[in-house]
Amino acid sequence: MKIVMLGAPGAGKGTQAKMIASKYQIPHISTGDIFRANIKNGTELGKKAKSYMDQGLLVPDELTVDLVIDRLANDDCKNGYILDGFPRTIPQAEALDAALAKLGEKMDYAIDVDVPDENIVSRMSGRRACTGCGATYHIVYNPSKKGDCCEVCGEKLILRDDDKPETVQKRLNVYHEQTQPLIDYYTKQGILKAVDGTQDMNDVFTAITNILGA
Ligand SMILES: [Zn+2]
C-alpha cells in the first residue's frame, strides 16, 4: 500500500501518518529523515544535499526525488510506505510517478487531512510556551494548572510569534498555493481521498482506515 499524506501544517497529518504506519506495518517516510540519514551516513546523495543546505539553499527537486526513490528501494518498502512531506510540488509528483512506472508500480492513495484554516488558526493561537523552560501548553486542550504561569518552573507563559494568527495564516497561504495543484493532480488520477480532520484524532484515524480497508 503506497500512500501520500497531504494536509496543512497543524492539521495533524504527521500524527495520522505515524498511526497508519504502525497499523499497516509500513514505513513512515519523511524527506527530513531521509536527508538526515544520508548526511549521517555520508552517502554521495547526502553530500550533495548537505552542500545546498550548508549554503542555506533548498535542496533541488531532482536531488530530493533521487533521495526519495533511493529510500523507496529499501527492503522495508516492499509492502508499501507512507510519504509525509513529499511530494510538495507537481514536478516532484511527476518524477515520483515516473520512477514508480519504471518499476511497474503506482501510488495507491493520496489522503488529504482537511481542516479549515480558521480551525488551525484558532488551535494554534491557544498554544502557550514557557519563557523559562520551554514547556508547552494549550489553553483548551492542555492548560497549565498555574494559569498563565508554568507548572514546571513558574515562569510566565506566552503566545509565540510562530503561533500568532497572522503568522499561521501566512504559512497556510503558502501551503495552499503549493498544495492545491497536488490535490488537483491526485484528484485527476482518481486516488485523492479527503478526510474531515476537525474530528477527534481517533475518529480521523477510523475514517482513514475505512478508506484503506482493515
Ligand atoms: Zn517553565
Side-chain angles (χ1 to χ4, degrees):
M1 183 152 35
K2 302 182 194 67
I3 305 167
V4 172
M5 284 303 276
L6 301 170
K13 149 181 85 97
T15 307
Q16 295 298 329
K18 283 195 193 87
M19 291 164 81
I20 295 166
S22 157
K23 176 172 166 79
Y24 295 94
Q25 295 292 301
I26 51 177
H28 171 206
I29 296 176
S30 81
T31 42
D33 290 342
I34 297 177
F35 289 159
R36 276 187 291 277
N38 276 273
I39 290 168
K40 187 166 162 257
N41 298 329
T43 68
E44 280 311 308
L45 291 173
K47 282 178 197 161
K48 280 192 205 164
K50 188 169 185 300
S51 73
Y52 288 100
M53 291 157 88
D54 284 347
Q55 298 172 66
L57 300 171
L58 278 178
V59 178
D61 268 357
E62 209 175 294
L63 181 53
T64 304
V65 169
D66 285 349
L67 280 158
V68 174
I69 302 298
D70 179 67
R71 172 69 184 85
L72 300 183
N74 282 16
D75 252 8
D76 65 341
C77 292
K78 62 181 190 302
N79 294 324
Y81 41 79
I82 178 157
L83 293 175
D84 181 5
F86 179 92
R88 266 187 215 282
T89 64
I90 293 290
Q92 286 185 354
E94 287 172 345
L96 174 64
D97 280 348
L100 288 175
K102 269 190 209 157
L103 304 169
E105 296 176 358
K106 61 177 196 53
M107 204 46 75
D108 297 309
Y109 299 98
I111 295 177
D112 180 27
V113 180
D114 187 33
V115 179
D117 284 5
E118 54 269 32
N119 293 41
I120 294 177
V121 169
S122 87
R123 262 190 220 175
M124 297 293 219
S125 64
R127 287 188 181 176
R128 293 294 179 271
C130 174
T131 49
C133 70
T136 54
Y137 301 89
H138 192 282
I139 53 172
V140 179
Y141 306 112
N142 178 29
S144 167
K145 291 188 186 79
K146 293 188 180 166
D148 55 3
C149 291
C150 179
E151 281 175 19
V152 184
C153 72
E155 286 293 320
K156 204 152 178 50
L157 301 181
I158 56 153
L159 174 62
R160 281 184 300 217
D161 285 343
D162 250 14
D163 296 332
K164 285 184 177 158
E166 57 274 24
T167 318
V168 174
Q169 189 58 58
K170 256 188 220 157
R171 213 156 50 218
L172 288 170
N173 293 345
V174 172
Y175 171 79
H176 291 307
E177 232 167 79
Q178 275 191 342
T179 309
Q180 192 55 50
L182 283 178
I183 290 184
D184 298 341
Y185 180 86
Y186 288 118
T187 301
K188 274 186 209 132
Q189 289 193 1
I191 62 167
L192 187 91
K193 308 282 173 190
V195 293
D196 175 2
T198 63
Q199 314 169 80
D200 173 82
M201 168 177 103
N202 292 310
D203 294 334
V204 177
F205 186 56
T206 303
I208 293 174
T209 55
N210 285 342
I211 291 164
L212 301 178

